[in-house]
Amino acid sequence: MKLTAAAGLTLAAIGGTQAADMPAPFDKPAEVKIALVRYLSTGDFFQSYLSGVEKQAAALGVDLRVLDSRQDAALQADMVDQAIALGVNGIIIQHGLTESMKAAAQRAVDAGIKVVAFDVDVENDAVPQIEQSDYLLGKMALDQAIEDNGASFTAGYVYVPGIAPLDRRDVAWKEIKAANPGIQEAAMFGTLDNPIANSVANQARSVLQANPNITVMFAPFDEFAKGVKIAVDEAGLNQDIDIYSADVSTADISAMREPDSAWVATVATNPAVVGEVCVRTLALMLAGEKTEKQVVVPPTLITQAFLNENDVKNMEELGAKMPQFQHADVSVAEWIPLPAR
């Protein structure tokens, strides 16, 4: 179990005069304990997401505990119980499987703990669902694929069922195929075995050998796209196949901007911003304020052409060129301080 406190979690993070004006329990923020219980943590997206959680927690001045199950569903459920035993006031459940997290979330709710869930449906009306509009992430990427390649092409599809965001993106894939009979799915494959990119690359090599007519790869998770790109580059097919993805990081931007890169577009929110929204939503609940049942962070289309035209090299420069990427006006309140930019 990983158990750490976010750096700088002191009253100084919000200032003494501000603290006096904060609603309970944030008038004494150092006494507020929240836990982040993670299922997925490998990859740039999840590192950036964690950074957002830590920075927003630090801005509020609360005590953050991070518990990382490393894709062990049973352990993640146990970690919710560990967080309950620690006496936390709130829990963020990040990814996971519905069947293992539904009961765990209910146990936390029964213990009087406020809970939010990011990209995992715990089927509980007391738990707001925070997402990136995963359906739109998939649809916008596929709309771009059709714009680039027309409505008739042969595609490979990377998918692992049972993961809420991937399942929502799969709805978009099924709808696009139904509306465009010329789009043929030659192969569906995928794995979340660590390291994810390398494991997907191993599968993609076989898929490309067996299906030389593939011209589009729909890989709606950036670790999937990295793996597909490895296999495409090794096969020398980088000018024959276009990769469409979801999510973004500095490493992804670099990969998309390589000469003749096959990775031509992704649709994403800033994962750090999503992490901030998770903490703010939990803070609103702890303060007794109303939150929506579904909290959506809107996504943005990011094309290779845009990155090249604007010479974007990292996430900071992407935010400068796309202001909507720096902050989401979601789950905000006058009393909630935002992280420094």
Side-chain angles (χ1 to χ4, degrees):
M1 177 184 72
K2 179 182 178 183
L3 187 61
T4 63
L9 305 184
T10 66
L11 283 173
I14 60 174
T17 55
Q18 284 181 295
D21 298 330
M22 300 281 275
F26 296 99
D27 53 342
K28 298 179 180 178
E31 297 179 9
V32 178
K33 295 181 182 179
I34 66 173
L36 170 64
V37 182
R38 314 182 79 193
Y39 179 73
L40 291 167
S41 57
T42 300
D44 297 320
F45 178 93
F46 300 105
Q47 293 173 8
S48 182
Y49 171 85
L50 175 60
S51 174
V53 169
E54 291 175 332
K55 288 179 180 178
Q56 185 62 74
L60 280 163
V62 301
D63 180 0
L64 170 68
R65 310 296 176 95
V66 179
L67 294 84
D68 189 351
S69 72
R70 300 186 183 275
Q71 296 161 240
D72 184 325
L75 178 58
Q76 187 186 24
D78 288 342
M79 285 181 165
V80 171
D81 293 324
Q82 292 171 24
I84 295 170
L86 286 170
V88 301
N89 305 94
I91 296 174
I92 301 168
I93 298 175
Q94 180 232 299
H95 293 87
L97 306 180
T98 298
E99 56 265 32
S100 57
M101 296 313 296
K102 180 179 178 179
Q106 185 60 55
R107 290 195 295 272
V109 171
D110 291 342
I113 296 170
K114 302 299 184 183
V115 180
V116 302
F118 168 48
D119 270 354
V120 55
D121 185 2
V122 297
E123 299 179 351
N124 193 314
D125 289 339
V127 179
Q129 299 289 309
I130 300 168
E131 62 171 277
Q132 311 170 77
S133 184
D134 290 287
Y135 169 81
L136 273 181
L137 261 75
K139 186 177 186 303
M140 290 169 67
L142 291 166
D143 286 345
Q144 186 64 38
I146 291 173
E147 180 175 331
D148 294 344
N149 299 274
S152 296
F153 53 80
T154 301
Y157 175 40
V158 191
Y159 173 50
V160 176
I163 302 297
L166 299 181
D167 290 342
R168 289 190 284 259
R169 296 168 197 184
D170 182 60
V171 172
W173 174 238
K174 288 175 179 174
E175 289 184 1
I176 289 290
K177 285 193 300 176
N180 299 274
I183 297 176
Q184 301 297 315
E185 180 185 303
M188 182 176 73
F189 61 101
T191 177
L192 289 172
D193 291 346
N194 285 323
I196 297 171
N198 291 340
S199 298
V200 169
N202 291 336
Q203 295 179 331
R205 292 184 185 98
S206 299
V207 168
L208 292 174
Q209 290 176 356
N211 301 277
N213 55 337
I214 287 177
T215 58
V216 168
M217 279 285 194
F218 181 44
F221 170 30
D222 59 347
E223 293 299 309
F224 289 170
K226 289 176 186 177
V228 170
K229 184 178 181 299
I230 291 171
V232 167
D233 287 349
E234 288 178 353
L237 298 172
N238 52 303
Q239 295 190 49
D240 301 311
I241 293 175
D242 287 341
I243 301 171
Y244 298 85
S245 181
D247 306 324
V248 72
S249 69
T250 293
D252 299 342
I253 291 169
S254 178
M256 291 176 71
R257 292 198 62 192
E258 289 177 4
D260 297 321
S261 174
W263 193 346
V264 297
T266 192
V267 179
T269 58
N270 186 332
V273 170
V274 178
E276 294 170 11
V277 168
C278 288
V279 175
R280 292 202 298 268
T281 303
L282 188 60
L284 289 171
M285 294 176 69
L286 289 169
E289 298 191 16
K290 183 179 179 181
T291 58
E292 298 296 324
K293 175 68 177 96
Q294 187 177 42
V295 180
V296 178
V297 183
T300 301
L301 173 70
I302 303 162
T303 65
Q304 181 187 93
F306 175 88
L307 296 174
N308 286 331
E309 288 166 7
N310 291 275
D311 193 27
V312 173
K313 296 181 288 295
N314 53 49
M315 294 287 281
E316 290 74 18
E317 293 178 1
L318 181 62
K321 297 295 183 179
M322 288 183 170
Q324 69 270 34
F325 212 72
Q326 283 290 79
H327 168 70
D329 195 23
V330 177
S331 293
V332 293
E334 289 186 0
W335 60 268
I336 298 180
L338 300 177
R341 299 295 179 192

